[in-house]
Amino acid sequence: MTIIRQMSLFGVQELFEMEPTHRYDAVISALNLDKIYHAVSKKTHLGAPEELNYSAMIISVFIRIVERIPTIKDLVKRLNEDIVFKLNCAFLVSDPTPSEASYSRLITKLEESKILEVVQEQVIIQAITEGFIKDDTIAIDATHFEARDQAPPKVENLDKEPKKRGRKSKEEREEWLAEQAKKEANLPLFEKKIEAQLDASLSELRAQVPKEPKWGIKKNSEGKHVFWFGYKGHLAVSTTSQYIVQSLFSSGNLNDGKAAIPLLKGIQERLSLPALRYETMDAGYDFEPIYQQIYRMGHQSVIAYNKRNESNPEGFDKHFALTCFREHSYRYDSYDAKYETLKYTQPKECVDCSLANEGICQKVYKVKITTDLRRFTAPARGSKAWKTLFKRRTAVERVNAYLKEFFQLNNVRYRTGKRAKVHFDLVTLVYNASKLAANRINALLNQEDQAA
């Protein structure tokens, strides 16, 4: 009788249940600490000597996220009171415990060097190299978290000119349109329409993302508006392996759709994912430029359709499939990637229809997705294949929940957007490092099972 061994399953939650020493070693080993240390350490021997153990300080900053220690003050207190914890953070017994001010300077250096973004990319590339990211679908969504400070009082704009009632004359309208076009041209990149991002470079997009805390609004699961003052984290998550392959930090008032193209360009330009074919998002990302960007990447869009008071074209159903004379919808059959064409076959109800037998209703019709990238997607909207792919979008929602529950995403302790971004980068980096550590342990357990 053949014995089938159950494959070992080891996840992030099991990682957090390990002994502290083993848990820290597993997570920290996934990070390039030498690169971080080089970025924040002194570049010259001139000036006051550094007496602090900077490498241990860096490790303790990551372990603070792992251990869910709420503040730097609490971290310093634990280092002073718990000698075992201090040793686990790679401090020597003789090392002085860094002060809160020392940690503040370290955070400043991390922010100025942008080194956390570099190491984040290295972790993802390492996970791809080791074969842990083979996904064909990426899910994109945003999550909000509040700022440390209370929202400032709203100030009314008393200098705003009252609107002139009545219809504008032709000359006034032309003058107004020219003025609006001039204003649009002078706006910052993320205040322009989304299509302005298509021809912008990735570095330009990331440099101009607004980062200061602002008022944000979003509908909850009950359809009610929720307001908060703070930030947004925008994530592109591999739906099977659940790594954060790209992330973006922004002000809370940034429209979700305006973060999609920077994430997509980051995937296209910085990562090698040959199996990737689909990007799935909710209706908040239903903008024509996003479809265009995904098409330029050679991928397919699986994005929920937002009607925006639009009416369906005559002769088509709500999923933009052709309907027969009796308004039965044609059935999606297949997609021809070579010719970028969707193939539909006649409805089941039309098999015995006299109109079909007389040749009035066609049995097969085809449509190119380039006719309208937003409406004609591959696989076709409403099809079983499309619904299956769209369900994978829950992966990014799951990761958002992990970041808030286990990695302190909603525990921002800094007053400026630049420092809050460091917190966001630390959280996403520790999450990916934990995923990589768990995958490595899982792979080792599977090798032991197969060898037994």
Side-chain angles (χ1 to χ4, degrees), residues 184-196:
E184 175 74 15
N186 294 327
L187 286 174
L189 182 56
F190 279 86
E191 292 183 21
K192 295 180 179 180
K193 295 180 180 179
I194 298 179
E195 49 262 37

Side-chain angles (χ1 to χ4, degrees), residues 283-337:
Y285 296 86
D286 182 31
F287 295 97
E288 180 68 26
I290 297 177
Y291 292 90
Q292 292 180 22
Q293 175 61 34
I294 295 173
Y295 178 75
R296 291 181 182 183
M297 296 167 64
H299 298 167
Q300 301 297 336
S301 311
V302 184
I303 305 174
Y305 191 77
N306 187 349
K307 293 185 70 172
R308 299 194 190 93
N309 298 322
E310 300 168 337
S311 58
N312 287 346
E314 187 176 353
F316 291 83
D317 66 8
K318 64 180 181 179
H319 299 303
F320 307 106
L322 187 69
T323 56
C324 68
F325 279 96
R326 295 184 176 177
E327 297 188 351
H328 299 303
S329 298
Y330 276 68
R331 296 173 295 167
Y332 170 67
D333 180 84
S334 59
Y335 173 67
D336 188 335

Side-chain angles (χ1 to χ4, degrees), residues 6-282:
Q6 177 68 37
M7 297 293 284
S8 300
L9 296 174
F10 189 94
V12 174
Q13 292 182 352
E14 286 78 10
L15 177 70
F16 274 64
E17 293 171 2
M18 294 173 61
E19 288 294 325
T21 303
H22 297 152
R23 180 168 70 248
Y24 302 160
D25 290 344
V27 174
I28 297 302
S29 64
L31 303 172
N32 189 339
L33 291 180
D34 291 339
K35 200 171 192 68
I36 300 175
Y37 177 76
H38 178 74
V40 302
S41 60
K42 285 183 62 176
K43 303 299 185 294
T44 175
H45 295 292
L46 301 177
E50 289 186 348
E51 298 179 354
L52 297 173
N53 188 336
Y54 251 65
S55 59
M57 287 179 66
I58 295 168
I59 292 174
S60 66
V61 167
F62 289 114
I63 291 179
R64 173 187 163 240
I65 303 296
V66 175
E67 284 292 308
R68 306 172 201 170
I69 299 174
T71 65
I72 294 295
K73 181 179 180 180
D74 293 323
L75 174 63
V76 172
K77 182 179 179 181
R78 184 162 176 183
L79 288 171
N80 278 321
E81 296 177 352
D82 190 342
I83 187 63
V84 175
F85 176 77
K86 183 176 181 179
L87 294 175
N88 285 336
C89 291
F91 285 101
L92 300 176
V93 177
S94 58
D95 284 336
T97 300
S99 64
E100 293 181 55
S102 298
Y103 276 106
S104 179
R105 287 190 290 271
L106 174 60
I107 296 299
T108 299
K109 291 180 179 180
L110 290 173
E111 184 272 318
E112 293 174 347
S113 65
K114 306 291 188 294
I115 188 61
L116 295 179
E117 296 179 8
V118 176
V119 176
Q120 176 80 281
E121 185 174 302
Q122 289 181 342
V123 171
I124 294 299
I125 293 174
Q126 189 62 37
I128 295 172
T129 303
E130 296 183 25
F132 298 131
I133 303 179
K134 301 178 181 178
D135 305 61
D136 66 349
T137 307
I138 294 293
I140 293 178
D141 201 0
T143 187
H144 69 274
F145 46 101
E146 295 185 0
R148 172 66 171 165
D149 290 343
Q150 292 184 353
K154 294 182 179 180
V155 180
E156 295 184 3
N157 188 0
L158 301 177
D159 298 329
K160 187 175 180 180
E161 296 181 3
K163 290 184 179 180
K164 182 180 178 181
R165 293 192 176 187
R167 189 174 180 178
K168 293 182 175 68
S169 65
K170 184 178 179 180
E171 293 76 13
E172 287 177 332
R173 178 166 176 78
E174 289 178 355
E175 183 181 350
W176 179 81
L177 289 173
E179 184 180 347
Q180 293 302 310
K182 185 177 180 181
K183 286 182 179 179
E184 175 74 15
N186 294 327
L187 286 174
L189 182 56
F190 279 86
E191 292 183 21
K192 295 180 179 180
K193 295 180 180 179
I194 298 179
E195 49 262 37
Q197 298 180 1
L198 286 171
D199 297 325
S201 66
L202 178 61
S203 58
E204 183 182 2
L205 287 167
R206 289 194 169 272
Q208 295 192 36
V209 178
K211 299 180 178 66
E212 291 308 309
K214 299 291 184 181
W215 275 106
I217 180 173
K218 192 170 186 177
K219 282 187 177 181
N220 60 16
S221 57
E222 299 175 354
K224 297 180 180 179
H225 286 106
V226 177
F227 297 88
W228 80 94
F229 181 77
Y231 312 100
K232 276 186 181 179
H234 308 268
L235 306 180
V237 173
S238 52
T239 56
T240 302
S241 57
Q242 295 187 15
Y243 279 87
I244 302 172
V245 296
Q246 287 288 300
S247 60
L248 194 71
F249 172 89
S250 77
S251 302
N253 64 343
L254 184 71
N255 183 283
D256 291 357
K258 291 187 176 181
I261 291 179
L263 294 174
L264 292 168
K265 287 192 174 186
I267 294 171
Q268 180 184 21
E269 298 180 20
R270 309 305 294 269
L271 301 176
S272 176
L273 295 167
L276 184 58
R277 294 180 58 196
Y278 307 101
E279 278 80 19
T280 180
M281 310 169 211
D282 62 25

Side-chain angles (χ1 to χ4, degrees), residues 346 350-361 363:
Q346 67 178 169
C350 296
V351 174
D352 300 324
C353 179
S354 59
L355 295 176
N357 294 331
E358 293 174 6
I360 297 177
C361 285
K363 292 185 177 181

